[in-house]
């Protein structure tokens, strides 16, 4: 067998934009169905999904210098206020679970309040929430649900209650509680969920919530509230050279989103101050502890110094040493003065004791320091001077002189006694001074040891006093640092709602429409690209077989939809004859073109070339349809046509003309004549007679081999202008090959959308091998643009492509495609 690929030139599969557009228009119902599904789901999704809004804020993170107040410069030596800020660390700190947990507790995010809003749910918060519910016995993360109904008269009804794991819609009305809003703050309600307290919301606006609407109170726990925040909050730095952190947070309630964002910033600042002051608090505790210890030690040192000074009579170490030194010097001076006085007194005594010097004046006694002796010596010297004057004027024997001598002798005795007494007193004073000097010298010698001991104690006292004063000062500085510590952030953009972030109605509907158009479009295009069937005239132009015409598809849109939906309907043959007298539509013109081309195929008007066999490669190609309408179009020209149904296995032609009973099977077995089985004037067409197939015989091929077959053809050739024989598919059964030896022309019907393109090579081989007489091709079921504009369906469009070889026969039942 020849390779089919050698019979036809290879061409790559291609399809033009125009052909794709016609294909899409022919499948319009695919787009309608998919668009209805996608747009319907988009509408449902928009109605079901709550709208989510984004709240944004921006904070400026200060550096270490700007985060500290000016007062800190006075205490810079403490190094307690210095900070080094890392912007990435602060971004992480803003999103820390600790911050989220504090926000959850501060705003009461452990409970969600929702109401049904059409298909979706609506979160109540702030101005839309009448009261907040506090669960006292569920712990931090206990779960529970209840329904709350608020009325405009201030009545609140709680119930039913559902614990964790229960469906609140199935628990029934268990212990419903009714309470007045005015009494709510002071009442603790006992319920299946434990004790409950209602806290009225000051921001509530009664007009925002319809009266007597059921509010679902869902207690999810603080951890769940913090986790929700952690999943929606985002931080970013939009400029690498900036320290501004942009914070955004998504929520379905705009009021809650703004409050959450504000509380995140406040909680972050509180934690920053708390962490910042931990050093100061620890320092303060340390200073207080050390002050207590030093104060106790300082008191002990003071007591020791006081006791030592009292014991040793020391005012202080330096003053005692000076005093003892001065006392020693004073004692030395006194001893010197007493020695001088004693020496002078002894000189006067020696002078008085020397008789040879009785009449000589006594030395001056002013240095003696004794007024009595000095006055006596002065009187004695005056008397002596007068006696000596008297001696010079008289003699020593003068009685006056002798009297004076006697007086002078007495005076000398008195002076001598006074001098001796004075010397004795000076010696006593000398002994006292020596004792004083000895005591002072002894104390001065022992003073260094005492001074060393006292200085050591005083040194300890000064050190502890200095440390005590320093710590007192630093404690005050530490208190000032806590009082003047400022936030390290500055809000540069207050929390605001930046807008809706989803779902976007326009975007979702646009996406739904796009999907509704793209999915069927892509599917149709893929199916068309994978389509290995003959799609139109372009596919058969490569054949060298004579082409007599093409017939557009004849069908209804609902038929295609029924096939798409899997609905089956019985074949209606009542409309198979579409050729009408005076009708000039495209399908009538197509059959007229075939009629004309058949006339050209009859060389020289040969009257013998009038028996036409119609066959195909597979069932359902439209052989019966072509036969009926070809007979009709020939009859319209005044030709008498005989339609012979030799498809003894199915009898489709007989069904189309509703010819039941006897037929060709009865004639071929010799039971009846042609006149007995003929159905004249089919469908009121007096020029067309039909010879039906009759009952289905058990041996169709053997009947066609009978001599009556040739007799039948000869009789009909003589009686009619054209004999059209409807045959079974070629090569499926042997019938067509048997009939072919009695015919003049073989019309091979190729159904667009039914015949595999790789079968074209096989058909070309039929022609090359002259297997069928005067073989010609009729293309059936091609696109009818006019019909398409009139909303008539067509399954196949023009196109061309090359596909792999593969074909299977299935004659004996209607093609389900």
């Amino acid at each position: 067998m020849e390779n089919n690929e050698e019979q036809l030139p290879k061409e790559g599969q291609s399809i033009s934009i125009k052909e794709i557009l016609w294909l899409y228009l022919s499948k319009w119902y695919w787009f309608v169905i998919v668009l209805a599904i996608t747009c319907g789901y988009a509408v449902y999704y928009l109605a079901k999904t709550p709208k989510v809004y984004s709240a944004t804020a921006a904070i400026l993170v200060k550096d270490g210098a700007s985060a500290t107040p000016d007062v800190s410069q006075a205490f810079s030596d403490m190094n307690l206020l210095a900070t080094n800020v890392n912007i990435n660390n602060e971004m992480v700190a803003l999103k820390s679970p600790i911050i989220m947990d504090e926000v959850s507790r501060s705003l009461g995010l452990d409970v969600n309040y929702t109401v049904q809003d059409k298909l979706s749910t609506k979160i109540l918060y702030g101005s839309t929430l009448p009261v907040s519910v506090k669960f006292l016995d569920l712990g931090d993360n206990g779960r529970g649900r209840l329904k709350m109904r608020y009325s405009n008269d201030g009545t609140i009804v709680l119930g039913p209650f559902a614990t964790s794991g229960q469906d609140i819609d199935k628990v029934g009305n268990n212990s419903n509680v009714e309470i007045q809003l005015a009494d709510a703050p002071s009442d603790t309600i006992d319920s299946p969920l434990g004790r409950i307290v209602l806290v009225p919301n000051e921001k509530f606006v009664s007009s925002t919530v319809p009266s007597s609407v059921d509010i679902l109170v869902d207690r999810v726990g603080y951890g769940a509230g913090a986790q929700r925040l952690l999943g929606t909050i985002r931080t970013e730095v939009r400029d690498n050279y900036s320290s501004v952190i942009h914070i955004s947070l998504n929520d379905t309630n705009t009021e809650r989103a703004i409050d959450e964002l504000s509380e995140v910033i406040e909680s972050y600042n509180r934690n920053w101050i708390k962490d910042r002051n931990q050093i100061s608090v620890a320092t303060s505790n340390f200073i207080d502890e050390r002050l207590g210890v030093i104060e106790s030690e300082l008191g002990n040192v003071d007591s020791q110094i006081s006791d030592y000074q009292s014991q040793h009579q020391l005012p202080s170490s330096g003053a005692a040493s000076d005093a003892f030194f001065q006392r020693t010097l004073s004692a030395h001076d006194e001893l010197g003065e007493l020695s001088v006085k004693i020496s002078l007194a002894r000189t006067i005594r020696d002078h008085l004791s020397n008789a040879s010097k009785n009449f000589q004046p006594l030395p001056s006694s002013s240095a003696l320091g004794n007024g009595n002796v000095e006055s006596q010596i002065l009187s004695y010297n005056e008397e002596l001077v007068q006696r000596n004057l008297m001696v010079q004027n008289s003699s020593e024997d003068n009685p006056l002189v002798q009297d004076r001598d006697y007086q002078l002798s007495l005076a000398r005795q008195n002076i001598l006694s006074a001098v001796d007494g004075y010397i004795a007193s000076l010696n006593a004073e000398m002994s006292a001074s020596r004792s004083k000097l000895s005591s002072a010298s002894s104390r001065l010698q022992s003073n260094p040891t005492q001074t060393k001991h006292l200085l050591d104690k005083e040194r300890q006292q000064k050190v502890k006093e200095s440390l005590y004063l320093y710590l007192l000062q630093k404690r005050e500085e530490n208190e000032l640092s806590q009082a003047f510590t400022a936030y390290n952030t500055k809000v540069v953009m207050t929390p605001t709602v930046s807008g809706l972030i989803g779902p976007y109605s326009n975007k979702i509907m646009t996406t739904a429409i796009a999907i509704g158009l793209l999915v069927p479009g892509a599917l149709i295009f893929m199916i068309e690209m994978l389509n290995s069937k003959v799609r139109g005239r372009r596919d058969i132009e490569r054949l060298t077989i004579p082409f007599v015409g093409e017939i557009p598809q004849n069908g209804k849109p609902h038929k295609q939809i029924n096939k798409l939906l899997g609905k089956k309907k019985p074949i209606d043959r009542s409309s198979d004859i579409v050729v009408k007298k005076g009708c000039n539509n495209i399908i009538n013109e197509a059959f007229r073109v075939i009629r004309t081309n058949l006339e050209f195929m009859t060389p020289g008007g040969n009257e013998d070339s009038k028996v036409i066999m119609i066959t195909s490669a597979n069932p359902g190609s439209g052989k019966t349809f072509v036969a009926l309408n070809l007979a009709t179009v020939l009859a319209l020209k005044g030709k008498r046509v005989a339609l012979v149904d030799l498809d003894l296995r199915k009898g489709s032609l007989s069904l189309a003309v509703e010819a039941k009973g006897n037929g060709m099977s009865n004639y071929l077995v010799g039971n009846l004549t042609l006149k007995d089985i003929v159905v004249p004037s089919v469908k009121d067409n007096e020029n067309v007679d039909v010879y039906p197939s009759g009952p289905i015989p058990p041996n169709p091929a053997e009947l066609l081999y009978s001599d009556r077959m040739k007799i039948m053809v000869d009789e009909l050739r003589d009686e009619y202008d054209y004999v059209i024989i409807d045959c079974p598919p070629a090569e499926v059964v042997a019938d067509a090959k048997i009939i072919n030896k009695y015919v003049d022309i073989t019309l091979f019907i190729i159904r667009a959308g039914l015949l595999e393109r790789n079968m074209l090579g096989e058909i070309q081989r039929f022609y090359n091998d002259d297997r069928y007489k005067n073989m010609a091709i009729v293309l059936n079921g091609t696109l009818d643009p006019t019909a398409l504009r009139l909303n008539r369906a067509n399954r196949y469009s023009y196109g061309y492509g090359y596909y792999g070889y593969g074909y299977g026969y299935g004659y004996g039942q209607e093609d389900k495609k």
Side-chain angles (χ1 to χ4, degrees):
M1 178 182 288
E2 297 181 10
N3 192 336
N4 291 336
E5 295 184 358
E6 296 178 356
Q7 302 292 329
L8 300 173
K10 293 183 179 180
E11 292 187 26
Q13 183 176 355
S14 64
I15 187 167
S16 66
I17 295 177
K18 181 178 180 181
E19 293 167 355
I20 285 291
L21 292 177
W22 282 121
L23 179 63
Y24 287 161
L25 288 175
S26 68
K27 303 286 187 180
W28 59 270
Y29 48 89
W30 286 40
F31 293 93
V32 172
I33 293 173
V34 177
L35 277 174
I37 294 173
T38 56
C39 292
Y41 179 77
V43 172
Y44 172 77
Y45 175 80
L46 290 173
K48 184 73 175 176
T49 307
K51 294 186 181 297
V52 180
Y53 299 88
S54 176
T56 58
I59 59 174
L60 173 66
V61 179
K62 305 173 186 177
D63 56 19
S66 59
T68 307
D70 294 336
V71 71
S72 64
Q73 297 177 0
F75 312 116
S76 58
D77 63 320
M78 290 182 68
N79 199 28
L80 295 176
L81 298 176
T83 57
N84 292 319
V85 177
N86 186 307
I87 193 68
N88 293 322
N89 293 341
E90 302 309 314
M91 291 173 63
V92 174
L94 276 167
K95 298 170 59 178
S96 67
I98 296 176
I99 299 294
M100 300 300 106
D101 185 72
E102 290 184 3
V103 174
S104 178
R105 295 177 183 275
S106 176
L107 299 181
L109 302 182
D110 61 318
V111 183
N112 293 327
Y113 307 88
T114 59
V115 294
Q116 194 67 28
D117 184 18
K118 298 179 181 179
L119 293 178
S120 65
T121 57
K122 179 181 178 182
I123 293 290
L124 300 185
Y125 181 86
S127 62
T128 59
L129 181 63
V131 293
S132 299
V133 182
K134 302 297 182 183
F135 297 85
L136 303 181
D137 298 329
L138 289 183
D140 287 346
N141 296 306
R143 299 296 301 271
R145 284 186 172 189
L146 63 91
K147 287 187 178 180
M148 178 173 64
R149 179 170 295 181
Y150 169 78
S151 300
N152 289 334
D153 59 359
T155 303
I156 298 176
V157 179
L158 302 178
F161 300 84
T163 58
S164 179
Q166 287 183 320
D167 188 351
I168 195 169
D169 295 325
K170 297 180 180 180
V171 296
N173 295 327
N174 52 354
S175 304
N176 285 2
V177 180
E178 182 175 331
I179 189 172
Q180 292 295 321
L181 184 61
D183 301 331
S186 59
D187 287 352
T188 300
I189 304 169
D190 293 327
S191 72
L193 298 178
R195 293 174 300 159
I196 293 176
V197 175
L198 300 182
V199 181
N201 187 4
E202 298 178 354
K203 298 180 180 180
F204 174 63
V205 180
S206 59
S207 60
T208 58
V209 178
S211 179
S212 301
V213 65
D214 284 338
I215 301 174
L216 178 62
V217 182
D218 187 7
R219 211 282 181 163
V220 297
Y222 294 109
Q227 196 64 30
R228 179 184 62 81
L229 283 177
L230 194 60
T232 61
I233 192 170
R234 295 182 301 277
T235 58
E236 61 176 343
V237 177
R238 299 176 181 174
D239 187 356
N240 294 332
Y241 302 98
S242 172
S243 60
V244 175
I245 300 177
H246 295 266
I247 314 170
S248 62
L249 185 145
N250 303 333
D251 204 327
T252 56
N253 187 288
T254 56
E255 287 186 73
R256 188 170 71 173
I258 292 176
D259 287 352
E260 288 170 345
L261 207 53
S262 300
E263 189 61 26
V264 165
I265 298 175
E266 290 298 324
S267 180
Y268 165 78
N269 287 331
R270 287 196 300 268
N271 277 273
W272 190 88
I273 292 294
K274 180 180 178 181
D275 295 340
R276 182 68 182 78
N277 287 334
Q278 282 183 349
I279 300 176
S280 298
V281 171
T283 303
S284 179
N285 294 335
F286 171 77
I287 290 175
D288 290 340
E289 180 182 354
R290 293 304 303 163
L291 281 175
V293 174
I294 293 173
E295 186 175 1
S296 176
E297 293 177 352
L298 185 60
N300 293 333
V301 172
D302 289 341
S303 298
Q304 292 175 5
I305 292 174
S306 176
D307 294 342
Y308 190 83
Q309 288 178 331
S310 298
Q311 180 180 359
H312 294 85
Q313 298 179 353
L314 296 176
S316 65
S317 60
S321 178
D322 291 342
F324 292 144
F325 182 71
Q326 290 298 329
R327 191 177 297 177
T328 303
L329 292 178
S330 176
H332 278 292
D333 291 341
E334 289 179 0
L335 287 174
E337 290 178 359
L338 290 174
S339 296
V340 171
K341 289 179 179 181
I342 291 173
S343 176
L344 182 59
R346 286 176 178 175
T347 299
I348 293 173
R349 187 177 180 280
D350 291 339
H351 185 86
L352 291 175
S353 298
N354 190 353
S356 59
K357 297 181 179 180
N358 285 339
F359 298 107
Q360 293 180 2
L362 292 174
S364 175
S365 60
S366 59
L368 286 175
N370 192 316
N372 183 29
V373 174
E374 288 179 358
S375 61
Q376 288 182 11
I377 291 174
L378 181 62
S379 297
Y380 176 79
N381 288 331
E382 289 178 355
E383 289 292 333
L384 183 60
V385 169
Q386 290 179 3
R387 182 253 172 201
N388 291 330
L389 288 175
M390 289 178 66
V391 170
Q392 288 178 1
N393 295 324
S394 66
S395 65
E396 292 180 352
D397 294 331
N398 184 346
L400 290 172
V401 172
Q402 292 181 355
D403 184 54
R404 283 195 179 267
D405 290 338
Y406 177 75
Q407 292 294 332
L408 289 172
S409 175
L410 291 175
R412 283 195 297 273
Q413 292 297 325
N414 290 335
I415 293 171
L416 184 62
S417 297
V419 170
D420 289 338
Y422 184 59
I423 290 172
S425 64
L426 288 177
N427 288 328
E429 289 181 6
M430 180 73 73
S431 297
S433 295
R434 286 193 181 97
S435 177
K436 181 179 179 181
L437 177 61
S438 176
S439 176
S441 298
S442 176
R443 294 291 297 273
L444 186 61
Q445 290 175 357
S446 63
N447 184 255
T449 303
Q450 295 175 348
T451 300
K452 178 181 178 183
H453 180 77
L454 191 61
L455 286 176
D456 183 61
K457 297 296 181 181
E458 289 177 349
R459 188 179 300 111
Q460 294 181 27
Q461 183 187 42
K462 290 179 180 180
V463 169
K464 294 184 184 299
E465 282 180 352
S466 300
L467 183 58
Y468 186 77
L469 293 175
Y470 178 80
L471 290 177
L472 284 177
Q473 179 186 3
K474 294 310 175 184
R475 184 173 66 177
E476 294 303 316
E477 294 174 1
N478 191 51
E479 295 297 329
L480 285 175
S481 71
Q482 294 185 55
F484 286 97
T485 299
Y487 292 152
N488 74 321
T489 60
K490 177 183 178 182
V491 177
V492 296
M493 185 177 74
T494 57
T496 55
V497 176
S498 58
L500 179 70
I501 64 168
Y504 296 104
S505 302
N506 294 337
K507 186 178 294 185
I508 289 177
M509 290 304 299
T510 302
T511 303
I513 293 173
I515 294 175
L517 294 175
L518 291 176
V519 168
L523 187 58
I524 292 171
F525 183 79
M526 185 182 301
I527 292 174
E528 186 63 21
M529 290 295 100
L530 297 176
N531 181 18
S532 61
K533 310 291 184 180
V534 173
R535 292 176 294 186
R537 179 72 176 272
R538 290 177 58 187
D539 290 332
I540 64 174
E541 286 179 346
R542 295 173 293 159
L543 302 176
T544 59
I545 308 171
F547 180 76
V548 296
E550 59 180 310
I551 303 171
Q553 171 68 32
N554 179 43
K556 301 292 183 182
H558 68 272
K559 292 182 180 179
Q560 304 301 325
I561 295 176
N562 288 336
K563 290 181 179 180
L564 182 64
L565 299 177
K567 296 181 179 180
K568 295 183 179 180
K569 280 192 174 183
I571 299 175
D572 182 11
R573 297 291 187 181
S574 61
S575 60
D576 279 355
I577 300 178
V578 297
V579 175
K580 306 293 183 182
K581 185 177 181 180
C583 183
N584 295 321
N585 61 18
I586 189 169
I587 198 166
N588 277 263
E589 293 299 329
F591 277 102
R592 292 188 180 99
V593 170
I594 294 174
R595 181 184 64 189
T596 303
N597 290 335
L598 284 175
E599 292 175 351
F600 279 106
M601 289 183 65
T602 306
N606 186 357
E607 294 295 333
D608 293 334
S609 301
K610 59 183 181 181
V611 179
I612 303 171
M613 182 183 82
I614 299 178
T615 187
S616 64
N618 44 13
S621 298
K623 301 184 301 296
T624 301
F625 174 76
V626 174
L628 283 170
N629 288 281
L630 181 58
T632 303
V633 77
L634 290 172
L636 290 177
K637 196 177 179 182
K639 305 293 183 179
R640 293 189 70 246
V641 181
L643 270 175
V644 182
D645 187 359
L646 286 182
D647 190 352
L648 302 180
R649 304 170 189 271
K650 290 185 64 176
S652 300
L653 180 60
S654 301
L655 293 176
V657 298
E658 299 177 354
K660 301 178 181 179
N662 298 323
M664 290 303 299
S665 60
N666 301 101
Y667 168 79
L668 292 175
V669 298
N671 293 334
L672 299 173
T673 63
L674 292 177
K675 291 182 180 180
D676 294 331
I677 63 174
V678 66
V679 179
S681 304
V682 175
K683 302 291 184 180
D684 298 329
N685 192 336
E686 60 183 13
N687 290 330
V688 178
D689 296 336
V690 174
Y691 294 85
S693 61
I696 298 176
N699 53 348
E702 285 74 8
L703 290 179
L704 293 176
Y705 271 116
S706 68
D707 295 335
R708 293 182 66 85
M709 178 65 187
K710 183 178 183 306
I711 294 172
M712 180 269 296
V713 173
D714 292 339
E715 288 182 6
L716 295 179
R717 188 189 295 270
D718 294 337
E719 185 177 354
Y720 295 95
D721 296 321
Y722 287 95
V723 179
I724 299 176
I725 301 175
D726 186 9
C727 297
E731 305 300 319
V732 176
V733 291
D735 298 10
K737 188 64 177 177
I738 297 171
I739 298 170
N740 186 254
K741 61 184 179 180
Y742 303 111
V743 304
D744 303 317
I745 297 175
T746 301
L747 290 184
F748 205 96
I749 308 299
I750 295 177
R751 178 68 177 266
L754 182 61
L755 181 69
E756 294 286 343
R757 282 197 296 274
N758 54 19
M759 280 299 297
L760 294 177
E762 187 72 13
I763 296 172
Q764 178 68 43
R765 190 167 63 83
F766 294 163
Y767 178 76
N768 295 339
D769 296 344
D770 199 17
R771 188 175 299 181
Y772 297 97
K773 293 182 179 178
N774 294 326
M775 184 176 172
I777 291 176
V778 174
L779 180 61
N780 185 26
T782 58
L783 178 64
D784 181 0
T786 305
L788 186 60
R789 286 194 294 270
L790 295 175
N791 292 326
R792 299 181 61 190
N794 179 61
R795 292 175 55 199
Y796 305 100
S797 65
Y798 296 98
Y800 176 78
Y802 177 80
Y803 297 90
Y805 185 84
Y807 178 77
Y809 293 101
Y811 185 70
Q813 60 181 1
E814 239 358 276
D815 191 349
K816 294 182 180 180
K817 293 186 180 181

